[in-house]
Amino acid sequence: MGSQELVNPITFPSITSLLAAILNMVIIAAIPFVMLFLIYSGFLYVTARGNPEQIKKAGQSLMYGIIGGTIILGAVAITAIISNVVKDFAA
């Protein structure tokens, strides 16, 4: 039997690039959910017709959508910062 080499199935050159790719996929999947929350909160507000409970529910939905969007943007910023720090240490 000849020598067999192990072939790495992952095409990313480093762990940071792999994590960045995973984060990009999560962001692409999460942005439509944030947009749906914002649209849903607008729909709730329009259909509330002055009902304080429905207006409160619409406000909470809007707040959750904004918090979700902020978390996504924060994850992107933190990833960029960590990537730059790792590149600086590697250089």
Side-chain angles (χ1 to χ4, degrees):
M1 294 201 201
S3 65
Q4 296 179 350
E5 290 184 25
L6 294 175
V7 178
N8 187 1
I10 301 173
T11 59
F12 298 101
S14 66
I15 191 74
T16 56
S17 62
L18 174 65
L19 293 176
I22 291 171
L23 180 65
N24 285 336
M25 289 189 306
V26 169
I27 289 170
I28 289 171
I31 287 176
F33 288 113
V34 171
M35 294 305 298
L36 284 174
F37 253 93
L38 297 177
I39 292 169
Y40 177 67
S41 65
F43 177 76
L44 286 178
Y45 187 75
V46 168
T47 58
R49 294 187 224 149
N51 184 355
E53 291 180 22
Q54 286 294 99
I55 292 174
K56 183 179 177 183
K57 187 176 178 181
Q60 286 178 341
S61 178
L62 178 65
M63 182 179 62
Y64 295 149
I66 291 172
I67 289 171
T70 304
I71 289 172
I72 292 170
L73 289 175
V76 171
I78 289 171
T79 302
I81 291 169
I82 290 173
S83 170
N84 289 335
V85 167
V86 168
K87 286 180 185 175
D88 289 343
F89 279 127

